[in-house]
Amino acid sequence: MPERQRHGASIGQPLTRRDGHAKITGAARYSADVKPEGLLHAVMAVSSVARGRVAHLDVAAAEAHPGVVAVMTPRNAPALAQSPDLKDHPFAFRLDLLQNDGVRYANQPIAVVIAETLEAATEGAALLAPRYESERVSVALGAGEVFRPETIGAGSATDEGSGDLAAGMAAAETRIEATYDTAAQYHNALEPHASVAAWDGDRLTLYTPTQALWIAKGRLAGLFGIPPENIHVVCHYLGGGFGSKGFIAAPQILGIMAAKLVGRPVKLVTRREQMFGPVGHRAATRQTLKLGAARDGTLTALDHHTLTLTSRHDDFVEPSGILSRHLYAAGAIATTHAVSRADIGTPIFMRAPGEASGSVAVESALDELALELDLDPLEIRLRNYAEVEPITHRPFSSKALRECYAQGATRFGWASRPRQPRQMRDADGLLVGWGLGTATYPAGMMQGEARATIRADGTALIETAAHDMGQGAWTVLAQIGADGLGLPITQVELRIGDSNLPNGGLAGGSTGTATSGTAVDNAARAAIAALADLAVNDRASPLYGAGNAGVTAADGRLARRDDPARSEAFGEILARAGRTSVEAKGQGAGDPATRKAYAMHAHGAVYAEVKVDPDLGQIRVTRLVGAFAAGRIINPQLVRSQYYGGMIWGVSLALHEHAVLDPRSGRVMNGNLAEYHIPVNADVPAMEAILVEEHDPHVNPLGIKGVGEIGITGTAGAIANAVWHATGVRVRDIPITLDRLLG
Amino acid sequence: MKAFDYIRATSVAEAVAAAARPGAAYLAAGTNLVDLMKGGISRPDTLVDVTRLPGLDRIERGTDGSTRIGALVRNAALAHDPVIAKRYPALAEALLSGASGQLRNAATTAGNVLQRTRCPYFYDTASACNKRDPGAGCAALGGVTRSHAVLGWSEHCIATHPSDFCVPLAALDASVEIAGPGGPRSVPLEAFHRLPGDTPERETVLEPGDLVVAVTLPPEAEAFAGHSRYLKVRERTSYAFAVVSAAVGLRMDGDRIGQARIALGSVALKPWRARAAEDLLAGAAPTPETFAAAAEAALADARPSGDNAYKIELARRIVVRALTLAAAGTPDRVPALPASPFAPNPSAPNPSAPSPLAGAPVHA
Amino acid sequence: MSFPITLTVNGTRRSVVLEDARVTLLDLLRERLDLTGAKKGCDRGQCGACTILLDGVRVNACLALAVSHDGASITTIEGLAVGEALHPVQAAFLEHDGFQCGFCTPGQILSAVGLIQEGQTGGDPERVREGMSGNLCRCGAYAGITEAVLTAHAALTGPDVLPGRQLAEDAA
């Protein structure tokens, strides 16, 4: 068997993004940049009521506007082969595709205007001037009937726990109970959802940003009643996804329907204000934490209850309690979830779904307990360090969290932190506070496939319908492929982002590199094996007869393992065999038995410094140090960028993001990027990410855990704790706003 | 956006004549107007482009010591103009604390003065708004009101004026020069914006066709240059509208305050001049007690219009802080974070202490 | 009503007849001149993804009506490199990994070029952060962006303050 080159020239190198040049020169074409011949522009009209029906649209006024070609409403929208409300797949969310005049949330699409120019389509949509029959709405957390959902997140158990909670509470010497609210958040990738769709008979070409090309293809095949192979989805670049582009959303499909209606290519781009409804969000939560501890700080009981919201018409439940099943050792654990329905768009996965909102509550509660016990926040976390996964008692496949705590603490200077709040000021008189949060995210895998082709010129091609939304797939998959093939990365061509390529699965849940990387590695390895077969059975080859000893691939040559001097270039082997190429496929998926035997998570520790104006309450994060352990690091530069991005999302969760709904109308009143605040550059000070070494022999052969989401977890709690430490005020309404600190 | 006719005016007279017709609006940079048009809030029939009008892009010093800022002077150019930065430092600081570098490069002096409220119900065309649609009602009342007015509001409108620039302009007794169908006239900035009363749709004293051609600072305005600050509390460090802001200028007379100027931003539908507080400070020593009394006076008439009582206390504290900062002296250069509480504070308890390394904080 | 205008785009004179006065510079570039480097993130001056240089200064192309800018000179991301030679700001973004998804990147880069030309930041990272705050990055590449702007600033203006040292002090 050929030996895989695990520590080759590429893996572990901080290579510059391979797609970087295209992105810094403007050459990278995103979906909305594509312009087929004869393109028309489509603009959605969306509902301003949150519940009811559309009673009237002034279609005539829109049609009369110069340049308008067609107005698509439920009256003339192309028929679909299946109901968009059909849930035939765990990830099939109900879609509003103009099949009736009903309105189920504000900003729901109610019509599409198609025109020769964007300006005409935009004004056409405004001229529809909808009238509604509206019903009373309910959008507040807990306002509707509260029920226990069947599952949470991506099919996880609603309630899970271990031990006798009541006994654990009774045995505790110190108890705290606190309720934390987290706000509704909208993904707001800077690239709005867009589609450029062109039909040729019953064949569809679609340019659209998606984190799951093959899932999109399957959904579209069902909706339009055509074979999946008739659908070609192209997405070389996503302008951010964060979960909102995991599953193709209504606006993208409406563009396809519009193209069908008018028989010409159509571009539909969601307007920013339309991103607050039909493309998912993270629902608000109210989490109650009850902790009981012995005098030494060890948890005797951890009770984490989450109340959240879902839409009236579909189910997605933010799984905020899940992390309490994995994170801290406790004598007894209960994690439960409840939900009520509201007249809102269906929530969906959003960067670290569950873990992000759950982490800020758990980390805050733990610090509240530490205060009661007069313990250092790091100490209480170490005293509850989970040596095995708490509920299942499974060993961790690897867990370098202790090293994360230690390296982060040293770098940050944590040891000099005074225990009491409001003890530190800077030279300008600003209050200074330090906080800590533990980061955690599951090291999951999905399923994917890749193809590797070794070509006669000595180069190779790696193909998989994987997705790069900024995490670096264009680079790291080539790195993995290069090492698997024993080639310099310059000799490896990578093709991703196209549904005609082998199924690349889903870029989500921090599984992309683990899944696609494993598929690429396996494909590369199989291609080398096929190439080796040609050589070792060929008497003319210096490798003839090496079958038992094996061959290794390096620098574009196969060499005998027992005699590396006997080697042959890839091209020579193929040429003599009369082949132009040799190709092989590889699968990427977790090993079920190993995944059952071990708990698999990435971990980290985030230390935050904030400054707070003692009189005015304005808050600024001034320093962040995160130390993360996530198995093998394929590209430290890109991984560091992922951690930074996650940590900035943590800043945003803790201090900024907050969709404000008017409870009377159900409308988002800050549905724009001026008032729905995400951090700007000036909100992000010096930050540091320490890549803590961790070797994981179990997660997958390459030892890869995901890094895309873990940075948010820990960070938001660290900031909330730092704000308390600066001010002495514990704010349990997240995001923390300055009015809470005015005293 | 509604289709419109476009006229590029070549003279003030031509512009005024064109814009006096119903449905016409002036276009300069468009940083506010084009946004409003895209949102369907403004739907003019005709845009009269004034960007080519000659002579309106100049900053001129009058022989009497006044400064005349042409209507088309861009916010960035104004803030970085050496005369402005030196003589009216709070004006520069306010300008640089607003919007973004890109918007400041485009936005004009007149456009900034004329910018319209950020009230979400004004922006949401599905909501009732007396500004957009007189008599329709005010959906903000009883709605989401954290950012709304605490001074000068009425039951017809509780919106605020969002400009940073106008706050020091009000404090410095600036006036607005207007060319109109009836000829030129000048209006004090303080009287230029109108409180809502029962006609919130009338936001300024401008009549159809009136064109703002300049903003003028009177000769006495530069007397405050040595003790002048703009302070703006916001919910992210930059690129955010003020929660509350204040512009303060002190003319020191020895170790006493000769004259004080105070205006508050984002508390009312116009920049709010706090004259009672100014009167209280005149002749007083710059002490914390005096500043606290001034803050009380400045907010004496404030009352919440909804879920925004915190803004009243915040405004008091901003007045105290801005006075404290101003008393300590204007910094040589606008701070890296203009108008921010996170700008270096010369009036901090131990301003001479070296900035501590992070990791080795000063323990109080 | 149609409006003939002439623009100099990336050094080339382009005569365009606007059939519609509503067209913004951003939509003119993207939909009519096939220059899609400038991105539409919000279309309302709230994100900076559409930043271009208009007569040498950075502005939001989404809020500028094209008809009002007859005769103007425009630089977009496509016109920044000279042949194969990257502009120092582009090179610095690559070096410091100042982006992830890349969607805000053309706007960030043009904004950085404009910021450096404005000459107000020196090598002060805090002034750079403030000056770049009109460009949102949802991926959170701000640390790399700030480093890239400081590096490019030093390259373009000479080492008045060594950015590496400033950053280290800032991070200490």
Side-chain angles (χ1 to χ4, degrees):
Chain A
M1 282 296 286
E3 198 170 83
R4 184 170 15 206
Q5 230 192 325
R6 285 285 182 76
H7 301 278
S10 291
I11 288 180
Q13 298 300 312
L15 301 185
T16 302
R17 286 175 197 273
R18 291 185 109 202
D19 49 339
H21 192 273
K23 287 177 174 175
I24 58 165
T25 57
R29 291 233 156 193
Y30 295 78
S31 300
D33 300 342
V34 177
K35 191 182 181 188
E37 198 61 36
L39 183 72
L40 294 176
H41 296 266
V43 171
M44 288 190 299
V46 298
S47 173
S48 60
V49 304
R51 190 178 186 186
R53 60 176 285 273
V54 178
H56 179 74
L57 291 168
D58 196 348
V59 173
E63 285 175 342
H65 189 71
V68 170
V69 172
V71 178
M72 186 167 77
T73 72
R75 288 191 186 178
N76 64 345
L80 297 172
Q82 72 178 199
S83 164
D85 277 354
L86 180 69
K87 292 183 77 72
D88 61 342
H89 184 281
F91 292 145
F93 291 94
R94 295 194 164 117
L95 299 168
D96 296 287
L97 299 176
L98 303 181
Q99 299 304 292
N100 56 58
D101 61 9
V103 174
R104 343 199 243 201
Y105 56 91
N107 286 338
Q108 177 193 306
I110 54 173
V112 174
V113 176
I114 305 130
E116 295 287 349
T117 66
L118 178 58
E119 292 75 21
T122 306
E123 177 61 8
L127 290 170
L128 289 171
R131 290 200 303 270
Y132 306 91
E133 287 169 13
S134 59
E135 295 175 44
R136 193 180 163 81
V137 302
S138 167
V139 294
L141 190 62
E145 184 191 344
V146 174
F147 64 97
R148 183 180 171 279
E150 283 182 28
T151 61
I152 58 171
S156 297
T158 303
D159 304 332
E160 213 169 79
S162 65
D164 184 336
L165 194 73
M169 281 295 178
E173 292 184 47
T174 303
R175 297 172 197 86
I176 63 133
E177 175 176 345
T179 297
Y180 305 88
D181 279 22
T182 66
Q185 302 182 319
Y186 286 76
H187 306 72
N188 277 306
L190 267 206
E191 176 198 33
H193 289 58
S195 57
V196 174
W199 287 92
D200 180 6
D202 65 350
R203 304 187 74 85
L204 170 67
T205 303
L206 176 66
Y207 297 85
T208 201
T210 176
Q211 297 170 235
L213 286 155
W214 275 55
I215 296 176
K217 185 161 73 167
R219 185 84 199 252
L220 295 174
L223 285 169
F224 291 102
I226 55 176
E229 53 271 24
N230 282 15
I231 300 172
H232 184 201
V233 189
V234 183
C235 176
H236 291 139
Y237 305 100
L238 285 97
F242 315 115
S244 75
K245 293 169 183 165
F247 312 110
I248 193 161
Q252 294 158 286
I253 301 172
L254 288 169
I256 303 168
M257 292 167 65
K260 202 174 173 71
L261 179 74
V262 297
R264 282 173 66 177
V266 163
K267 172 159 91 173
L268 186 151
V269 184
T270 310
R271 290 157 61 98
R272 178 58 55 185
E273 64 272 25
Q274 298 173 340
M275 301 276 286
F276 293 78
V279 296
H281 71 288
R282 191 199 307 279
T285 74
R286 179 165 298 149
Q287 301 172 58
T288 302
L289 271 293
K290 297 177 191 167
L291 305 182
R295 187 175 304 278
D296 67 356
T298 54
L299 289 166
T300 56
L302 189 171
D303 183 0
H304 187 170
H305 177 71
T306 300
L307 171 66
T308 184
L309 287 168
T310 192
S311 70
R312 199 172 290 287
H313 57 281
D314 208 348
D315 294 307
F316 178 85
V317 181
E318 173 81 359
S320 303
I322 283 189
L323 87 166
S324 286
R325 300 170 184 173
H326 316 295
L327 189 51
Y328 294 113
I333 295 174
T335 62
T336 53
H337 295 80
V339 65
S340 67
R341 296 203 180 277
D343 300 299
I344 56 175
T346 306
I348 204 166
F349 304 96
M350 178 163 164
R351 203 171 190 178
E355 278 80 7
S357 51
S359 174
V360 68
V362 170
E363 297 302 317
S364 296
L366 207 56
D367 265 34
E368 297 207 47
L369 181 65
L371 177 68
E372 291 292 317
L373 293 161
D374 195 27
L375 274 179
D376 181 85
L378 175 55
E379 188 55 38
I380 198 169
R381 284 164 177 78
L382 290 171
R383 289 192 189 174
N384 291 289
Y385 195 88
E387 302 292 351
V388 295
E389 193 179 41
I391 291 177
T392 65
H393 299 291
R394 292 182 299 180
F396 288 102
S397 59
S398 63
K399 182 176 179 179
L401 175 57
R402 226 183 278 282
E403 291 75 10
C404 295
Y405 284 133
Q407 292 185 28
T410 302
R411 181 67 198 161
F412 188 82
W414 180 259
S416 68
R417 175 186 179 275
R419 185 77 46 86
Q420 293 302 314
R422 230 180 154 88
Q423 298 297 302
M424 301 192 288
R425 289 191 186 237
D426 75 358
D428 292 324
L430 297 167
L431 296 166
V432 178
W434 289 357
L436 163 64
T438 308
T440 180
Y441 199 77
M445 284 183 74
M446 301 209 191
Q447 294 197 332
E449 190 176 48
R451 181 166 55 225
T453 305
I454 301 169
R455 299 186 285 214
D457 63 358
T459 65
L461 173 66
I462 299 285
E463 298 171 291
T464 177
H467 320 81
D468 195 327
M469 48 188 177
Q471 79 277 34
W474 276 113
T475 309
V476 298
L477 296 183
Q479 288 180 265
I480 292 168
D483 279 9
L485 290 160
L487 278 173
I489 195 167
T490 52
Q491 300 296 99
V492 177
E493 182 189 348
L494 176 69
R495 291 184 192 155
I496 62 172
D498 186 316
S499 70
N500 287 350
L501 300 171
N503 188 354
L506 166 74
S510 295
T511 65
T513 304
T515 305
S516 297
T518 301
V520 166
D521 186 49
N522 285 334
R525 190 175 162 187
I528 289 293
L531 185 68
D533 275 350
L534 295 178
V536 298
N537 296 317
D538 181 349
R539 288 173 186 279
S541 169
L543 303 175
Y544 177 69
N548 290 334
V551 297
T552 60
D555 295 327
R557 302 179 72 83
L558 292 187
R560 285 183 70 115
R561 187 143 62 164
D562 57 355
D563 183 3
R566 290 165 69 182
S567 70
E568 193 170 27
F570 295 172
E572 293 168 21
I573 299 169
L574 288 169
R576 206 175 42 252
R579 300 276 294 268
T580 55
S581 66
V582 58
E583 70 169 54
K585 280 192 169 180
Q587 306 296 318
D591 175 59
T594 317
R595 294 215 153 239
K596 203 171 173 187
Y598 292 94
M600 300 179 179
H601 303 274
H603 291 93
V606 182
Y607 295 83
E609 177 183 270
V610 304
K611 293 186 178 177
V612 181
D613 189 295
D615 305 314
L616 309 178
Q618 195 172 320
I619 308 162
R620 192 171 187 221
V621 180
T622 47
R623 206 154 57 96
L624 283 175
V625 174
F628 302 96
R632 182 189 303 282
I633 298 307
I634 305 298
N635 183 323
Q637 167 149 293
L638 304 193
V639 164
R640 186 171 287 113
S641 289
Q642 284 284 287
Y643 289 149
Y644 285 166
M647 289 158 75
I648 292 168
W649 274 59
V651 173
S652 197
L653 173 67
L655 301 179
H656 297 296
E657 280 183 63
H658 188 185
V660 181
L661 274 66
D662 188 319
R664 303 166 303 179
S665 67
R667 280 201 290 282
V668 179
M669 296 316 296
N670 60 343
N672 63 71
L673 290 177
E675 273 105 0
Y676 180 88
H677 284 175
I678 62 171
V680 297
N681 198 316
D683 288 304
V684 176
M687 55 195 304
E688 196 171 338
I690 300 168
L691 279 51
V692 174
E693 192 172 331
E694 187 179 70
H695 176 64
D696 193 316
H698 304 299
V699 277
N700 46 57
L702 288 165
I704 300 168
K705 297 178 177 177
V707 298
E709 293 163 273
I710 188 170
I712 315 170
T713 73
T715 305
I719 292 168
N721 289 335
V723 170
W724 169 80
H725 190 237
T727 63
V729 180
R730 173 58 68 177
V731 180
R732 300 188 183 93
D733 246 346
I734 310 295
I736 299 169
T737 50
L738 61 94
D739 50 314
R740 304 305 177 109
L741 301 176
L742 291 179
Chain B
M1 190 188 293
K2 185 174 153 187
F4 53 84
D5 291 332
Y6 172 82
I7 297 167
R8 186 180 297 153
T10 55
S11 71
V12 169
E14 186 193 342
V16 168
R21 296 185 204 120
Y26 287 116
L27 171 74
T31 50
N32 193 200
L33 180 63
V34 173
D35 176 40
L36 291 163
M37 289 168 69
K38 287 185 177 190
I41 299 123
S42 294
R43 293 178 67 80
D45 299 313
T46 305
L47 287 191
V48 181
D49 186 341
V50 296
T51 54
R52 313 289 170 119
L53 293 182
L56 298 189
D57 59 350
R58 293 202 287 265
I59 302 167
E60 296 160 315
R61 291 284 287 166
T63 50
D64 60 351
S66 63
T67 300
R68 182 176 183 273
I69 304 162
L72 293 176
V73 175
R74 310 284 166 166
N75 287 181
L78 183 59
H80 294 306
D81 180 86
V83 170
I84 297 295
K86 185 161 182 295
R87 296 175 196 274
Y88 320 107
L91 207 61
E93 189 165 17
L95 283 165
L96 294 174
S97 75
S100 67
Q102 290 93 314
L103 289 165
R104 294 192 295 269
N105 280 338
T108 62
T109 299
N112 195 322
V113 170
L114 287 165
Q115 71 180 292
R116 303 184 73 188
T117 182
R118 289 296 305 184
C119 173
Y121 297 92
F122 171 71
Y123 261 84
D124 175 20
T125 54
S127 290
C129 174
N130 287 322
K131 265 187 184 306
R132 269 190 284 102
D133 185 10
C138 172
L141 285 169
V144 174
T145 50
R146 271 187 82 233
S147 61
H148 285 83
V150 293
L151 283 162
W153 54 272
S154 75
E155 67 272 26
H156 302 287
C157 181
I158 60 171
T160 61
H161 195 262
S163 168
D164 293 302
F165 177 50
C166 288
V167 183
L169 282 182
L172 294 173
D173 272 345
S175 57
V176 181
E177 207 179 299
I178 299 162
R185 68 187 199 278
S186 178
V187 176
L189 185 105
E190 213 190 333
F192 181 79
H193 299 102
R194 299 177 78 255
L195 287 175
D198 55 7
T199 54
E201 72 279 12
R202 298 216 47 207
E203 298 174 348
T204 67
V205 298
L206 292 180
E207 299 288 340
D210 277 354
L211 176 69
V212 173
V213 293
V215 171
T216 299
L217 291 155
E220 64 272 19
E222 65 186 70
F224 302 93
H227 297 274
S228 188
R229 286 305 292 268
Y230 183 66
L231 181 64
K232 174 180 178 183
V233 167
R234 57 208 119 157
E235 294 195 315
R236 67 182 173 191
T237 305
S238 183
Y239 205 8
F241 292 97
V243 178
V244 177
S245 68
V248 159
L250 299 175
R251 183 175 56 71
M252 296 305 292
D253 191 357
D255 56 2
R256 296 205 158 251
I257 299 167
Q259 195 183 5
R261 296 287 180 81
I262 303 173
L264 290 163
S266 290
V267 294
L269 200 47
K270 58 187 281 188
W272 191 266
R273 184 79 179 265
R275 287 186 188 276
E278 292 175 7
D279 292 346
L280 196 146
L281 290 168
T287 64
E289 295 72 26
T290 316
F291 294 162
E296 282 300 323
L299 277 300
D301 295 332
R303 62 195 169 103
S305 58
D307 185 22
N308 57 358
Y310 77 97
K311 286 181 70 170
I312 299 171
E313 177 58 20
L314 180 60
R316 286 192 195 101
R317 295 187 189 185
I318 287 174
V319 169
V320 171
R321 176 68 62 79
L323 284 166
T324 310
L325 290 171
T330 306
D332 293 339
R333 188 183 173 193
V334 174
L337 300 175
S340 170
F342 298 101
N345 180 356
S347 63
N350 49 350
S352 60
S355 188
L357 286 177
V362 176
H363 291 230
Chain C
M1 214 171 170
S2 66
F3 309 91
I5 63 168
T6 301
L7 299 169
T8 302
V9 182
N10 297 329
T12 304
R13 275 175 66 87
R14 306 280 294 259
S15 291
V16 186
V17 178
L18 294 170
E19 75 284 5
D20 192 327
R22 293 175 292 189
V23 178
T24 61
L25 280 180
L26 179 61
D27 290 329
L28 177 69
L29 292 168
R30 288 183 52 80
E31 306 298 345
R32 290 159 178 84
L33 301 181
D34 201 29
L35 290 167
T36 54
K39 295 290 184 275
K40 185 181 283 188
C42 73
D43 208 25
R44 307 290 281 270
Q46 300 167 352
C47 78
C50 67
T51 302
I52 58 167
L53 299 182
L54 176 62
D55 292 326
V57 302
R58 52 181 179 149
V59 299
N60 304 103
C62 70
L63 293 180
L65 291 177
V67 67
S68 180
H69 293 280
D70 185 16
S73 177
I74 288 168
T75 303
T76 72
I77 192 71
E78 290 91 343
L80 208 53
V82 180
E84 292 299 302
L86 294 176
H87 186 281
V89 172
Q90 290 174 307
F93 268 70
L94 205 54
E95 179 191 344
H96 293 282
D97 207 33
F99 54 93
Q100 293 184 25
C101 81
F103 194 81
C104 73
T105 310
Q108 298 275 3
I109 289 174
L110 267 304
S111 186
V113 172
L115 179 71
I116 292 167
Q117 284 174 2
E118 286 162 21
Q120 298 294 327
T121 66
D124 181 352
E126 194 80 311
R127 287 185 191 271
V128 168
R129 290 187 190 112
E130 164 64 27
M132 290 299 293
S133 284
N135 293 82
L136 302 184
C137 171
R138 185 54 155 163
C139 298
Y142 293 128
I145 290 167
T146 301
E147 288 170 11
V149 177
L150 288 165
T151 297
H153 183 274
L156 287 163
T157 63
D160 57 340
V161 181
L162 284 176
R165 183 157 168 269
Q166 269 288 323
L167 268 188
E169 283 174 2
D170 200 55

